[in-house]
Amino acid sequence: MSEEVWILGINMTKFGKHPDKDSVDLAAEASLAALADAGVGMKQMDILAAGNLLGGGHLGQTLQKQIGQTGIPVYNVANACATGATALRTAVMAVKAGEADYGLAVGVEKLAGAGLLAGGARKDDGNTWTPAGRYGAVAAVDGRVGTEIMPGVFAQIGMEYLNEHPYEGSNFELFARISEKNHAHSTLNPLAAYTKRMSLEEIMNDVMIAYPNTRPMCSANCDGAAAAVVVSGSVLKTLSLEQQKRAVKVAASILTTDPWEEACQVLPNVNTLTRNAAKQAFEQAGVGPEDLDLVELHDCFATAELVHYDNLMLCEPGGAVEFFESGATWRDGTTPVNVSGGLESKGHPIAATGIANVWEVCHHLRGEAGDRQIEGAKVGLAHVIGLGSACGIHILEKAA
Amino acid sequence: MSNQIPLVDYLVLGDEPHLVAHECTACGARYFDRRNACASCSGTEFTPADIPTEGVLRTFTIVTFAAPGIPVPFVSGIVDCGGTSVRANVVDIEPTPEAVTLGMKVRLTTFPIGADGEGTEAIGFGFAPA
């Protein structure tokens, strides 16, 4: 029987622009606040898992030098946009395996002002065509053989769903309405990078990036960090009643990659690995989609949110559009999705995202979410996708 | 004609331009890149497989904001060519959601993308309405 794992303390910084803080400042702020929230210190930690995708891969030790060099093992992890979830899962695995009583997981990114990620400026074609790389390309292929930019890749992922499940109405408006929901939700989240309610017209008339994704339908680049302290079930029993009451159970912690399928190396398949992760997570937690009081899913683009309704089995197979149109995913619906505002308005500091979404769920389960509290929330799910791909899912349960 | 080179090595030029994939001899999985082994079954033997030049547009996007140096707008899509998916631009079509439609039939086409300092012309490919 492996150990139960609980989140004892958790924190996210304000997402947005932090021109006066570097990534270590933000990671330290989130880590120290998570430790304070847990009522423990660095001295208790047995393992540190750290993620900072754009920072060079040594955040853990740099952070230790600011908040506590205790000699514990550090795992610097990277898994694209699933980096935060991977850090958390690393700490969870150590506790589950009995190698650690306590673990600290942290993710941070400085992204404010960053433009398009991936793709990159096209270099001048050389003076002599010379085949290079795995496709023997004589010149840059982004823009010549389809698109490599994320808004375009995920636009195709959303449109592919509508090809398989044809929709009578306007595709563009459908996706814009998903964005409208998340921007509306963000108005209640003081830690979100953007908290402005946007009308459907404003969203549809904004700058088109890659049809059908306009700018507000894309995740917002911003600065931010999130950190979590995990503890074993047996150690939790020795702590104060207050700590036990606020602890949140990690009912499932899952990480998957995509199994080979036709087309998966042509257009990333974010569906199968999410579906596989969801199946495993529901089985591990012993709950079903109908038991979820809230879901934070990876809406890196409005087009992505739609497909994940289906992938996470929140709706009948093929029924994502109908599910959304029923109002189910608004905060007053049957399965509130992204009540934080989601990546489109809360923001997406890549390596922080997979812990920040867990923080959001914990906040509701603890009954501490203030104006945006989902009343009586007992079970929630947090999902991220890192393209390439990796999918992280955590199911969280309120303490009994 | 001899002074031509394909944009990518899986584009075969000549009288009937077409794409060619590496097909795993064990499981039939197809790839367009240089392979170390098969991602589906780990097999290491591959045979060339010609890809049909006609297909159906399975999904698309119209890119209007791209990295510097990339002309916009352009249509990017995934074409189902007889069961093998191909990534390409959709060309010879107005780049609007009214003109480009899911499920439309398309056909491979090739075109020059420029000449290098020695006069060799690089030939790219895309899919045009069939």
Side-chain angles (χ1 to χ4, degrees):
Chain A
M1 186 72 187
S2 58
E3 268 284 4
E4 279 186 358
V5 185
W6 294 72
I7 288 174
L8 189 62
I10 189 160
N11 180 265
M12 76 172 260
T13 67
K14 167 92 173 90
F15 280 8
K17 293 181 179 131
H18 292 283
D20 301 329
K21 291 175 183 165
D22 64 20
S23 32
V24 180
D25 292 323
L26 291 168
E29 181 183 324
S31 299
L32 293 172
L35 289 163
D37 186 45
V40 293
M42 277 305 283
K43 281 197 171 61
Q44 277 87 28
M45 296 302 110
D46 300 306
I47 172 183
L48 168 62
N52 176 215
L53 210 61
L54 305 184
H58 45 68
L59 170 71
Q61 286 86 344
T62 316
L63 177 64
Q64 281 183 306
K65 290 182 174 69
Q66 294 301 322
I67 68 168
Q69 287 177 260
T70 53
I72 58 171
V74 163
Y75 294 84
N76 289 299
V77 302
N79 236 342
C81 300
T83 295
T86 304
L88 179 58
R89 169 130 184 80
T90 302
V92 166
M93 283 194 296
V95 172
K96 214 170 199 173
E99 292 210 12
D101 289 330
Y102 288 97
L104 174 63
V106 57
V108 63
E109 217 72 61
K110 285 278 291 181
L111 267 188
L116 287 171
L117 304 178
R122 179 180 290 181
K123 295 191 188 84
D124 287 341
D125 296 325
N127 191 43
T128 306
W129 298 126
T130 310
R134 286 194 168 255
Y135 295 94
V138 301
V141 296
D142 184 22
R144 284 177 173 138
V145 184
T147 183
E148 288 175 3
I149 58 165
M150 292 299 113
V153 168
F154 278 94
Q156 292 174 107
I157 285 167
M159 292 292 280
E160 181 183 43
Y161 189 85
L162 297 185
N163 183 50
E164 288 163 15
H165 311 287
Y167 172 58
E168 303 281 309
S170 154
N171 296 342
F172 179 26
E173 192 190 299
L174 168 69
F175 290 119
R177 277 191 281 128
I178 293 176
S179 187
E180 181 192 19
K181 167 183 73 76
N182 290 351
H183 285 288
H185 285 170
S186 76
T187 59
L188 298 173
N189 184 357
L191 296 187
Y194 299 94
T195 54
K196 181 175 167 260
R197 173 127 199 186
M198 293 187 79
S199 70
L200 189 59
E201 290 69 32
E202 284 175 305
I203 291 166
M204 293 178 74
N205 291 328
D206 208 301
V207 181
M208 180 60 78
I209 306 293
Y211 176 90
N213 286 322
T214 64
R215 187 172 48 189
M217 295 162 73
C218 301
S219 51
N221 289 329
C222 67
D223 305 334
V229 174
V230 293
V231 66
S232 71
S234 46
V235 170
L236 179 65
K237 286 190 189 115
T238 69
L239 301 180
S240 74
L241 282 178
E242 178 63 14
Q243 283 167 308
Q244 293 184 36
K245 213 177 84 191
R246 289 183 72 250
V248 171
K249 187 178 173 186
V250 180
S253 173
I254 301 290
L255 190 69
T256 58
T257 59
D258 46 338
W260 190 86
E261 285 175 278
E262 202 288 314
C264 78
Q265 294 194 13
V266 176
L267 178 70
N269 179 341
V270 301
N271 304 320
T272 305
L273 83 166
T274 297
R275 197 163 269 273
N276 287 351
K279 268 186 216 155
Q280 292 176 41
F282 288 132
E283 192 180 318
Q284 194 173 92
V287 302
E290 66 284 357
D291 298 315
L292 301 174
D293 297 306
L294 75 157
V295 172
E296 288 286 304
L297 64 74
H298 203 69
D299 64 320
C300 49
F301 298 91
T303 44
E305 177 157 329
L306 183 79
V307 304
H308 293 314
Y309 294 155
D310 201 326
N311 295 331
L312 295 171
M313 296 177 260
L314 306 181
C315 61
E316 293 298 312
V321 173
E322 204 173 48
F323 179 65
F324 172 69
E325 295 202 317
S326 77
T329 60
W330 282 77
R331 53 171 290 114
D332 58 356
T334 52
T335 312
V337 172
N338 291 333
V339 295
S340 66
L343 279 52
E344 292 163 66
S345 32
K346 179 177 75 175
H348 184 23
I350 304 175
T353 294
I355 298 176
N357 59 4
V358 173
W359 176 85
E360 179 69 23
V361 172
C362 289
H363 219 44
H364 290 269
L365 300 184
R366 286 166 155 186
E368 298 173 359
D371 289 345
R372 70 178 186 290
Q373 176 69 40
I374 298 296
E375 287 307 324
K378 290 190 174 63
V379 185
L381 181 150
H383 158 261
V384 283
I385 278 274
L387 214 60
S389 297
C391 175
I393 291 184
H394 287 91
I395 294 180
L396 294 313
E397 272 178 32
K398 182 185 171 70
Chain B
M1 280 300 283
S2 59
N3 285 357
Q4 289 188 338
I5 188 167
L7 172 61
V8 288
D9 62 13
Y10 59 92
L11 170 63
V12 180
L13 301 177
D15 292 342
E16 291 175 14
H18 63 280
L19 303 178
V20 62
H22 305 291
E23 183 177 292
C24 174
T25 56
C27 76
R30 289 177 170 183
Y31 305 92
F32 291 107
D33 62 342
R34 177 168 62 78
R35 298 305 302 176
N36 297 91
C38 176
S40 175
C41 76
S42 304
T44 52
E45 281 184 29
F46 295 88
T47 185
D50 289 347
I51 305 300
T53 55
E54 294 200 348
V56 172
L57 187 64
R58 239 181 55 205
T59 184
F60 71 92
T61 179
I62 303 162
V63 179
T64 41
F65 189 89
I70 296 175
V72 290
F74 68 92
V75 182
S76 165
I78 304 296
V79 179
D80 180 346
C81 294
T84 300
S85 296
V86 176
R87 186 178 103 177
N89 286 5
V90 183
V91 297
D92 301 340
I93 194 166
E94 204 186 325
T96 65
E98 291 74 34
V100 188
T101 52
L102 293 170
M104 70 186 289
K105 290 186 173 139
V106 291
R107 180 183 294 136
L108 185 80
T109 180
T110 59
F111 41 83
I113 62 166
D116 67 10
E118 293 160 13
T120 303
E121 205 169 46
I123 305 294
F125 72 94
F127 284 82

